[in-house]
Every structure is written in C-alpha cells, then in structure tokens.
C-alpha cells in the first residue's frame, strides 16, 4: 500500500513564498515519477511540476521560473517551493507519483488527498 501525505498548504499573500512537502511511504514499489498537480475551482487538474527518475524536470507554463520541485535521494519526499505567488495560484495541490508495483510489475498512479493553497491580494 502506497501512501502520500501532503503538508504546507494554507494562506499566503501575493508575492510571498510557500513550500509544500509530500511524504511517500509503503513497500513493494519503484518510483518513476514524482511531482505535483493542482486544481482550481471549475478548472481541470493540471501539471505543476514533476521529476522523472534519471530524467528531466517538467514545469507547467504558468509556474516556470517561479516554482521549484525537488526530491530527496531516497525518493521518500518531494517538495514544491512556490515563489512570487499570484492569486491565480490558488488551488488544491495534489502530490502525485507514478510507480511500478513489484508484486505484478504494473505501473500505477498514486495521489495524495490534496492541500489547499489560497493566495490573496
């Protein structure tokens, strides 16, 4: 069983910074991708940033040059440093991993429950 637990959401003012953290636990899986998505009211869930193991980091166009995604060496934590926050960054942020279940070698997507980030002017 894989569990993702997010922390760090809350209220922020325009221009401030905030860091989200996601702790991954469980057994019998190998992570290929770690990252963050977000969903604003009445909008579809969108990619914020992700890291491919041994590969590139990808950022959504709206957060490039402002947000930084990182993971620890053990791939048990993925963080999202959000700088120069804007009101349009208000959304529920979801931690996401794509991992291979070593019991059946199927690749699956796993999601956290989400953490609200609200940016006010």
């Amino acid at each position: 069983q894989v569990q993702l637990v997010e922390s760090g959401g809350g209220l922020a003012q325009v221009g401030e910074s905030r860091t989200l953290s996601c702790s991954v636990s469980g057994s019998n899986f190998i992570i290929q991708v770690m990252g963050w998505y977000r969903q604003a009211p009445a909008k579809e869930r969108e990619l914020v940033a992700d890291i491919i193991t041994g590969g590139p980091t990808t950022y959504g166009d709206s957060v490039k040059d402002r947000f930084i995604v990182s993971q620890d060496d053990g791939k048990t934590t993925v963080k999202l440093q959000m700088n120069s926050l804007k009101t349009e960054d208000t959304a529920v942020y979801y931690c996401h991993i794509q991992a291979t279940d070593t019991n059946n070698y199927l690749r699956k997507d796993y999601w956290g429950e989400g953490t609200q980030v609200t940016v006010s002017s």
Side-chain angles (χ1 to χ4, degrees), residues 4 6 12-13 24-25 29 46 50-51 54-55 69 74-75 80 84:
L4 284 66
E6 301 115 334
Q13 299 290 317
V24 181
S25 62
F29 64 96
E46 64 175 0
D50 65 23
I51 300 174
V69 64
K75 289 187 285 188
L80 183 68
S84 303

Tab-separated table of all heavy atoms in Angstrom, residues 4 6 12-13 24-25 29 46 50-51 54-55 69 74-75 80 84:
chain	number	residue	atom	x	y	z
A	4	LEU	N	0.615	8.779	0.291
A	4	LEU	CA	1.208	10.094	0.050
A	4	LEU	C	0.528	11.081	1.001
A	4	LEU	O	-0.707	11.172	1.008
A	4	LEU	CB	0.978	10.547	-1.393
A	4	LEU	CG	1.819	9.926	-2.508
A	4	LEU	CD1	1.523	8.446	-2.684
A	4	LEU	CD2	1.561	10.656	-3.813
A	6	GLU	N	0.519	15.074	2.114
A	6	GLU	CA	0.987	16.434	1.817
A	6	GLU	C	0.935	17.307	3.057
A	6	GLU	O	0.111	17.093	3.947
A	6	GLU	CB	0.119	17.075	0.732
A	6	GLU	CG	0.082	16.337	-0.582
A	6	GLU	CD	-1.281	15.786	-0.906
A	6	GLU	OE1	-2.056	15.529	0.044
A	6	GLU	OE2	-1.589	15.613	-2.099
A	12	ALA	N	-1.588	32.579	1.858
A	12	ALA	CA	-0.404	33.363	1.543
A	12	ALA	C	-0.848	34.657	0.874
A	12	ALA	O	-1.957	34.747	0.332
A	12	ALA	CB	0.536	32.589	0.617
A	13	GLN	N	0.024	35.634	0.914
A	13	GLN	CA	-0.220	36.903	0.242
A	13	GLN	C	0.490	36.898	-1.100
A	13	GLN	O	1.478	36.170	-1.309
A	13	GLN	CB	0.301	38.057	1.088
A	13	GLN	CG	-0.354	38.197	2.451
A	13	GLN	CD	-1.789	38.660	2.350
A	13	GLN	OE1	-2.107	39.554	1.568
A	13	GLN	NE2	-2.668	38.042	3.134
A	24	VAL	N	6.187	10.110	1.069
A	24	VAL	CA	5.738	8.863	0.436
A	24	VAL	C	6.164	7.682	1.290
A	24	VAL	O	7.327	7.577	1.689
A	24	VAL	CB	6.336	8.722	-0.981
A	24	VAL	CG1	5.831	7.436	-1.640
A	24	VAL	CG2	6.006	9.930	-1.839
A	25	SER	N	5.224	6.800	1.561
A	25	SER	CA	5.549	5.608	2.353
A	25	SER	C	4.878	4.388	1.755
A	25	SER	O	3.958	4.501	0.942
A	25	SER	CB	5.113	5.802	3.806
A	25	SER	OG	3.713	5.968	3.882
A	29	PHE	N	7.236	-1.058	-4.223
A	29	PHE	CA	7.048	-0.236	-5.398
A	29	PHE	C	8.345	0.475	-5.748
A	29	PHE	O	9.182	0.728	-4.885
A	29	PHE	CB	5.911	0.774	-5.192
A	29	PHE	CG	6.159	1.781	-4.108
A	29	PHE	CD1	6.671	3.024	-4.416
A	29	PHE	CD2	5.867	1.493	-2.778
A	29	PHE	CE1	6.897	3.963	-3.415
A	29	PHE	CE2	6.092	2.416	-1.780
A	29	PHE	CZ	6.611	3.657	-2.097
A	46	GLU	N	-4.211	20.216	-13.448
A	46	GLU	CA	-3.111	20.494	-14.363
A	46	GLU	C	-1.774	20.184	-13.706
A	46	GLU	O	-1.630	20.257	-12.481
A	46	GLU	CB	-3.119	21.965	-14.802
A	46	GLU	CG	-2.888	22.959	-13.687
A	46	GLU	CD	-2.784	24.397	-14.169
A	46	GLU	OE1	-2.884	24.644	-15.389
A	46	GLU	OE2	-2.595	25.290	-13.325
A	50	ASP	N	6.970	18.034	-12.322
A	50	ASP	CA	7.325	16.677	-11.938
A	50	ASP	C	8.772	16.363	-12.294
A	50	ASP	O	9.394	17.045	-13.112
A	50	ASP	CB	6.357	15.619	-12.488
A	50	ASP	CG	6.362	15.506	-13.993
A	50	ASP	OD1	7.359	15.884	-14.644
A	50	ASP	OD2	5.350	15.024	-14.535
A	51	ILE	N	9.279	15.325	-11.626
A	51	ILE	CA	10.654	14.871	-11.828
A	51	ILE	C	10.601	13.412	-12.263
A	51	ILE	O	10.008	12.575	-11.579
A	51	ILE	CB	11.472	14.965	-10.529
A	51	ILE	CG1	11.529	16.399	-10.006
A	51	ILE	CG2	12.892	14.433	-10.748
A	51	ILE	CD1	12.198	16.521	-8.646
A	54	GLY	N	16.031	9.883	-13.123
A	54	GLY	CA	17.089	9.826	-14.120
A	54	GLY	C	16.802	10.636	-15.356
A	54	GLY	O	17.526	10.524	-16.360
A	55	GLY	N	15.772	11.446	-15.312
A	55	GLY	CA	15.394	12.211	-16.485
A	55	GLY	C	15.117	13.657	-16.180
A	55	GLY	O	15.540	14.172	-15.141
A	69	VAL	N	10.668	22.235	-8.028
A	69	VAL	CA	10.333	20.920	-7.475
A	69	VAL	C	11.636	20.189	-7.162
A	69	VAL	O	12.622	20.308	-7.905
A	69	VAL	CB	9.456	20.106	-8.454
A	69	VAL	CG1	10.191	19.797	-9.742
A	69	VAL	CG2	8.939	18.849	-7.797
A	74	GLY	N	16.490	9.472	-1.381
A	74	GLY	CA	15.773	8.234	-1.160
A	74	GLY	C	14.410	8.178	-1.807
A	74	GLY	O	13.707	7.159	-1.729
A	75	LYS	N	14.025	9.294	-2.464
A	75	LYS	CA	12.719	9.409	-3.128
A	75	LYS	C	11.581	9.083	-2.167
A	75	LYS	O	10.615	8.399	-2.518
A	75	LYS	CB	12.665	8.514	-4.368
A	75	LYS	CG	13.537	9.054	-5.502
A	75	LYS	CD	13.340	8.272	-6.773
A	75	LYS	CE	14.014	6.944	-6.713
A	75	LYS	NZ	13.995	6.246	-8.007
A	80	LEU	N	7.723	21.184	-3.217
A	80	LEU	CA	7.428	22.199	-4.212
A	80	LEU	C	7.629	23.557	-3.560
A	80	LEU	O	6.853	23.947	-2.688
A	80	LEU	CB	5.991	22.080	-4.729
A	80	LEU	CG	5.601	23.063	-5.822
A	80	LEU	CD1	6.365	22.740	-7.111
A	80	LEU	CD2	4.106	23.024	-6.085
A	84	SER	N	7.020	33.964	-5.449
A	84	SER	CA	6.280	35.017	-6.161
A	84	SER	C	4.847	34.587	-6.438
A	84	SER	O	4.362	34.659	-7.581
A	84	SER	CB	6.995	35.371	-7.474
A	84	SER	OG	8.322	35.782	-7.231
